Amino acid sequence: MQARVTAILVAHSGAAYLERTLSGLSAQTRPPDSVIAVDVASADGSADLLAAAGPAQLVAAPGRTTFGGAISHAMRVAAPAAADNEWLWLLAHDNAPDPAALEQLLGAVEIAPSVAVAGPKLMRWDQPDVIAEFGETITRFGASINLVEGELDQAQHDVQDDVLGVAAGGMLVRRSVWAALGGFDPGLPSVDASLDFSIRARLAGYRVVVVPGAKVASIGGPEQFGRRSVSAGRRARIARTAQLHRRLAYAPGAAVPVHWLSLVPLAILRSIGQLAAKRPGAIGGELSSAFAVAFGRTGVGAARRALRSARRLGWASVAPLRMPPAEVRERRGQAREQLRQPVVVTQDSTRAGFVAHGGLWVVLLAAAVGAIVFGPVLGASGLTGGTLAPLSGTVQELWSHVGYGWRDIGTGFVGAADPFASVLAVLGSLTFWSPSTSLVLLSVLAMPLAALGAWFAARRITERPWLPAVAALLWAVAPPLLGSVTSGHLGATIAHLLLPWLLLTGLSSARSWASAAGAALLFAATAASAPLLVPALVLCWLALMAARPKSIHRSIWIPVPAIALFAPLVVQQVVRGNPLGLLAEPGVPVGGAEVSGLHLALAAPGSGLHGWSAALEPFALGTSAPLIVVAALLAPIGILALAALFVPGSRRAIPAMLIAFLGYVSAVAAVHVQVASVGPTAVPLWPGAALSLFWLGIVASLLVGLDALGRASIPLAALTGVVSVLVVVPLLGVVYSGTATVQPAGRILPAVVTAEAQDDQGVGTLVLTPEPEGRLSATLERGTGTTLDDQSTLAATATGISPAERRLATLAGNLASHSGYDAGTELRRLGVGFVVLTPSQENAAVRQRASDALDSNPLFSPVGSTANGLLWRYDDLPDGATTTEHASNTGTPLGLGILIGQGIVFGLTLLLGIPTVGRRKRATVSGSVAGEPVDTFDEDDHV
């Protein structure tokens, strides 16, 4: 009896492809006996096209109907089966068959009665000679895999016959088998639906074959049915859900509880693996698929019952058709090898090389200058002056000051650490044997490190190979950098070094998760070092997302580590009613000078105009001479930066000048905002970090201008290099002249106190310092003294005096004068064992009065004069008075929770940022610089 074929054509908003499919169907050399068309709530002209084709039946299905569900709708209106030799030919709107496709399929099944399912060779829609899919199978662990995919069709696979599964598009299936197996599993709406059906047919005792001569053009996989496009994350989620559903459906009954319990833990482990492989977009799919299968949304129970009712053979019958583990490993190795193949791109052969085009030599020159300029501090164990102070003596102590806990500064309090404490902990850990040494090395290496970062950042935005060397020079001798280093503003120095790398990774974040993670870490470190820059950085981040909306899924995460770092401090400052305190410069409280807007425009963060005021003072040229000299020297740089707005390629100069504008506005705001206090005096912020941002925009715009000026750019670039060095010449000698604020660190407290603190870390030292106008300031130091990582902007920006500070002030006032005040109780309460009266020229009378009062006080024994001042000991401090236990950063649930939360955020960001997959290299068609590596780009999104 001749076979009877019913073609079922399903369309879901596929008018763009349906016409070709209908043409192929009508042109069959062996036409189907009946055609049933199903329209799934199409929003285009699909229904009209189906009606015009004149099918035997036209069925309308609801909008959320799957391909398998649409087939079931068609079967309800199909004529009853008259014999066993009836077949169903399944087609979607984007499955255009070749004229001989059905004839070839029927020819294969008619000579093999045991065959119940036959699949065609699916070809790419727009590449008819490339195989889209030809047969399916599964691995040992149940993952589905296409046997042939993306290969040029040269009949190399035409010898294949029996397979484990075939695709749904173009499948020819015996109608009785379709009915017996219940059609496609409703729990598999797209991916693996046909594979699962084929496996169940195999277990029911039938064969599944592919027919090389039958060809059907296909636009994409089953997950694209009814969709214009499917994201990689959605595709991964659908595939993973299908795999887990099949795992539970196929598992022996005794193993089902084990598989079910492992779903969520395994999803978490796989999520970590996805993050390491730079596929964070797949994490949501991993978790959602595990929960969907675990809590019954896919109907595992119904799938197991359907399989059990039709199964006639054991799993051993399909084992030979699984892909062997060795072949799976080979395929994965080939995929990795393909990613390592060079990608040929058109590229100028004059691409900047770090060695060939002067980058290395500028860095080495900057290193030599840095070593000479900061030679006097090279042998120091630490630095002091400005915001600087020695760090804690061990790495453990450094890390104990991050997070939330007891802040041992002054009388002490419980609060959030400055985010900068984490930066200091990382910095000090680099020289773990002596954490304070890292501060010395940073000062000495600041210039070469700045040059290095600027060179790589400039190579990204310039075309001429020698311009990055110019940028490296300008950034290494930038006035804000040298001004910050010589005046001891550590946070501004670190921000200057990080800004070029932040620019580079930020621009690259659009195409690489690793770059986005690097930008996130650099954003956090820069914000922690210079909170003043946070508003400008946030605006730049928003501009980046607006300029590149297609990569917003990567760039939106850039501020997350900074948010995690700042959150505890933000909450505490807001609760105290002092949100502007978040902008305070971290470190030892010190004020910035009141600088005019004109001076800021000349990139001068402090008074003195880069040292020119002092340098020209002996010549008695007048107060305006330094201003004229600095303005004249910087004029070529400013003119070229502004001219970049009017030359070809000015589109690149506009964002650079906007960055400069943000930096300048931030600097102006800094000198007008007073959030911290030094003693009783409120002081403005140091604008150095903001001027670094300003200088970054100026340099970037200048490079754009030089890029467009042709041959004239060479002498102009030389001029800018010369004047940039001349501007800072006075700053290069301040360490030798003794006018630099930063100095080698000695002991914070006298040697006697330091020796005592070795046995009693909690011993307190009351430090009295005479101030102008008859005032006397009092601070309480613990142990060997307050270190840099002990400092807290919560203390520096406090808007009132705490009860403990009031008691300390009362104690200091009475000790510095003759009174009947019984200080013993308060001394024991505060754990004070020593009193230091610092040398001061501000108010000799106050100092003398305090010295006389302490000498005559029977509670104290004079120790004598030390390098830190006059010293007295309080002998009646009982044992244990200074051993009060305070909560560490892990000593409270809140502190521990904050550390865990921050650790998770930074751990995941580091995992995402560390290169853990191969990188493909660009191969230039016009050659590359000899001896230089070719440019590379991350392929982490495709691995």
Side-chain angles (χ1 to χ4, degrees):
M1 179 182 294
Q2 184 180 6
R4 176 178 173 81
V5 178
T6 299
I8 301 177
L9 175 59
V10 183
H12 183 21
S13 299
Y17 314 106
L18 187 55
E19 193 168 346
R20 178 177 169 183
T21 300
L22 288 170
S23 297
L25 185 59
S26 63
Q28 291 299 301
T29 56
R30 196 299 191 184
D33 299 283
S34 176
V35 177
I36 300 177
V38 184
D39 178 60
V40 185
S42 296
D44 53 14
S46 296
D48 295 335
L49 289 173
L50 290 175
Q57 298 282 348
L58 178 58
V59 181
R64 298 182 66 86
T65 304
T66 63
F67 181 73
I71 302 298
S72 299
H73 276 278
M75 295 303 296
R76 296 191 190 114
V77 301
D84 186 53
N85 198 23
E86 290 200 20
W87 296 82
L88 303 176
W89 194 24
L90 312 183
L91 296 168
H93 58 250
D94 57 353
N95 297 141
D98 280 3
L102 182 56
E103 182 180 2
Q104 291 286 334
L105 289 170
L106 283 174
V109 301
E110 285 174 349
I111 63 174
S114 60
V115 174
V117 180
K121 183 185 292 183
L122 293 184
M123 312 301 291
R124 288 185 179 173
W125 188 269
D126 53 352
Q127 294 176 291
D129 56 345
V130 177
I131 302 173
E133 182 182 333
F134 191 46
E136 299 178 0
T137 187
I138 57 176
T139 66
R140 180 175 55 179
F141 297 105
S144 60
I145 187 169
N146 293 331
L147 290 172
V148 182
E149 182 180 19
E151 294 185 21
L152 185 66
D153 185 15
Q154 297 175 314
Q156 70 271 35
H157 299 290
D158 288 3
V159 296
Q160 289 187 206
D161 190 357
D162 279 84
V163 292
L164 188 57
V166 296
M171 173 193 286
L172 185 70
V173 55
R174 193 182 298 273
R175 181 172 177 177
S176 59
V177 174
W178 177 271
L181 297 181
F184 291 159
D185 184 350
L188 299 170
S190 57
V191 173
D192 289 357
S194 61
L195 173 63
D196 169 74
F197 180 83
S198 300
I199 291 173
R200 287 188 284 129
R202 280 277 179 185
L203 294 175
Y206 301 99
R207 291 173 60 201
V208 179
V209 299
V210 288
V211 182
K215 296 182 179 181
V216 175
S218 176
I219 196 66
E223 71 277 4
Q224 291 189 269
F225 177 70
R227 297 185 178 92
R228 292 186 177 181
S229 63
V230 179
S231 66
R234 182 182 180 88
R235 184 179 290 109
R237 177 182 62 80
I238 295 173
R240 182 60 178 167
T241 303
Q243 181 184 359
L244 295 178
H245 173 84
R246 290 188 297 100
R247 178 176 296 173
L248 290 185
Y250 299 164
V256 170
V258 177
H259 284 303
W260 186 85
L261 291 172
S262 68
L263 286 176
V264 176
L266 187 60
I268 295 174
L269 291 176
R270 284 176 59 91
S271 296
I272 296 174
Q274 298 285 11
L275 192 66
K278 309 300 178 290
R279 294 190 293 264
I283 293 176
E286 290 285 351
L287 298 175
S288 63
S289 61
F291 281 106
V293 175
F295 296 103
R297 290 179 55 189
T298 61
V300 172
R304 291 182 62 83
R305 289 191 294 271
L307 176 64
R308 186 168 57 250
S309 64
R311 179 176 167 185
R312 299 292 181 269
L313 302 176
W315 285 98
S317 63
V318 301
L321 297 173
R322 291 177 184 251
M323 182 169 287
E327 187 176 348
V328 174
R329 290 192 297 270
E330 182 181 355
R331 285 195 172 209
R332 290 174 178 170
Q334 290 173 349
R336 288 192 295 269
E337 186 63 30
Q338 184 179 2
L339 287 173
R340 295 190 184 102
Q341 295 300 317
V343 178
V344 178
V345 296
T346 302
Q347 178 177 302
D348 188 358
S349 62
T350 58
R351 177 169 176 78
F354 185 63
V355 176
H357 293 101
L360 176 63
W361 308 114
V362 173
V363 172
L364 292 177
L365 177 62
V369 174
I372 295 172
V373 170
F374 297 99
V377 302
L378 271 176
S381 59
L383 297 176
T384 187
T387 66
L388 290 171
L391 295 174
S392 293
T394 65
V395 172
Q396 182 181 358
E397 289 181 81
L398 282 174
W399 287 103
S400 70
H401 293 150
V402 305
Y404 182 91
W406 178 257
R407 311 263 75 86
D408 204 1
I409 180 171
T411 55
F413 61 94
V414 175
D418 291 338
F420 191 54
S422 299
V423 178
L424 292 176
V426 173
L427 191 63
S429 299
L430 298 178
T431 56
F432 55 89
W433 62 93
S434 176
S436 294
T437 302
S438 62
L439 305 183
V440 179
L441 294 177
L442 184 66
S443 297
V444 175
L445 297 177
M447 294 179 68
L449 290 176
L452 184 67
W455 191 91
F456 281 100
R459 187 173 69 162
R460 176 65 191 272
I461 62 175
T462 60
E463 297 177 359
R464 297 182 183 276
W466 50 270
L467 277 179
V470 176
L473 176 62
L474 293 176
W475 194 250
V477 297
L481 172 64
L482 293 176
S484 295
V485 175
T486 56
S487 58
H489 290 272
L490 179 63
T493 301
I494 294 176
H496 186 95
L497 300 181
L498 296 181
L499 280 173
W501 297 107
L502 179 57
L503 174 66
L504 178 62
T505 54
L507 293 175
S508 302
S509 64
R511 58 181 173 82
S512 166
W513 277 107
S515 295
L521 293 173
L522 291 166
F523 186 100
T526 305
S529 302
L532 172 64
L533 291 180
V534 170
L537 293 179
V538 170
L539 289 175
C540 291
W541 167 65
L542 293 174
L544 176 65
M545 291 194 296
R548 299 183 175 182
K550 291 185 179 180
S551 63
I552 195 171
H553 61 288
R554 294 190 185 95
S555 54
I556 197 172
W557 303 106
I558 289 176
V560 170
I563 293 173
L565 209 56
F566 273 85
L569 185 63
V570 169
V571 171
Q572 203 157 1
Q573 287 283 31
V574 170
V575 169
R576 294 200 320 175
N578 187 26
L580 286 179
L582 294 166
L583 300 177
E585 183 181 15
V588 177
V590 61
E594 294 186 4
V595 185
S596 69
L598 179 58
H599 284 206
L600 293 175
L602 297 176
S607 59
L609 280 172
H610 315 310
W612 280 98
S613 296
L616 296 177
E617 186 178 3
F619 300 98
L621 298 176
T623 56
S624 60
L627 185 65
I628 295 173
V629 171
V630 173
L633 290 174
L634 290 177
I637 296 175
I639 292 171
L640 284 173
L642 290 173
L645 297 171
F646 307 99
V647 298
S650 61
R651 186 173 59 89
R652 292 183 297 155
I654 293 174
M657 291 305 292
L658 288 176
I659 290 175
F661 176 74
L662 285 175
Y664 181 73
V665 170
S666 300
V668 172
V671 298
H672 289 89
V673 173
Q674 298 177 337
V675 296
S677 59
V678 178
T681 306
V683 293
L685 298 174
W686 173 258
L691 290 180
S692 290
L693 186 64
F694 169 67
W695 191 258
L696 177 70
I698 293 295
V699 171
S701 182
L702 180 145
L703 294 178
V704 173
L706 291 176
D707 239 351
L709 290 179
R711 295 182 178 179
S713 62
I714 297 177
L716 291 175
L719 175 63
T720 58
V722 171
V723 297
S724 65
V725 173
L726 292 177
V727 166
V728 296
V729 164
L731 287 176
L732 298 178
V734 294
V735 178
Y736 289 93
S737 66
T739 57
T741 305
V742 63
Q743 298 292 334
R747 293 188 181 92
I748 301 175
L749 295 173
V752 174
V753 179
T754 301
E756 181 80 14
Q758 301 302 318
D759 299 323
D760 186 0
Q761 284 290 329
V763 63
T765 302
L766 182 62
V767 180
L768 304 178
T769 304
E771 300 284 353
E773 302 179 4
R775 295 192 303 266
L776 184 74
S777 68
T779 57
L780 183 61
E781 306 274 359
R782 294 288 180 191
T784 57
T786 303
T787 58
L788 182 57
D789 45 299
D790 279 322
Q791 299 295 329
S792 171
T793 55
L794 284 172
T797 61
T799 55
I801 299 177
S802 68
E805 291 172 330
R806 194 175 300 278
R807 293 198 309 271
L808 181 66
T810 301
L811 173 65
N814 282 278
L815 290 180
S817 60
H818 296 280
S819 70
Y821 177 76
D822 182 12
T825 302
E826 197 63 45
L827 289 169
R828 290 189 293 271
R829 185 175 181 180
L830 294 172
V832 175
F834 297 91
V835 176
V836 173
L837 181 62
T838 62
S840 175
Q841 303 299 323
E842 295 289 348
N843 199 321
V846 172
R847 186 174 189 275
Q848 186 61 48
R849 184 179 70 242
S851 175
D852 294 342
L854 288 166
D855 281 336
S856 61
N857 194 323
L859 295 175
F860 296 100
S861 301
V863 177
S865 179
T866 69
N868 301 85
L870 299 176
L871 178 66
W872 289 265
R873 180 195 293 272
Y874 174 58
D875 295 317
D876 293 335
L877 191 65
D879 293 338
T882 63
T883 58
T884 304
E885 292 293 333
H886 297 292
S888 66
N889 56 357
T890 59
T892 63
L894 178 59
L896 184 60
I898 288 173
L899 281 182
I900 292 175
Q902 292 177 343
I904 291 174
V905 171
F906 277 87
L908 294 177
T909 307
L910 279 171
L911 189 61
L912 188 60
I914 296 173
T916 56
V917 295
R919 293 165 61 91
R920 298 177 71 177
K921 294 182 179 298
R922 293 179 188 257
T924 59
V925 297
S926 57
S928 57
V929 179
E932 290 292 325
V934 296
D935 184 29
T936 62
F937 69 98
D938 292 327
E939 285 289 344
D940 48 36
D941 299 323
H942 308 287
V943 177

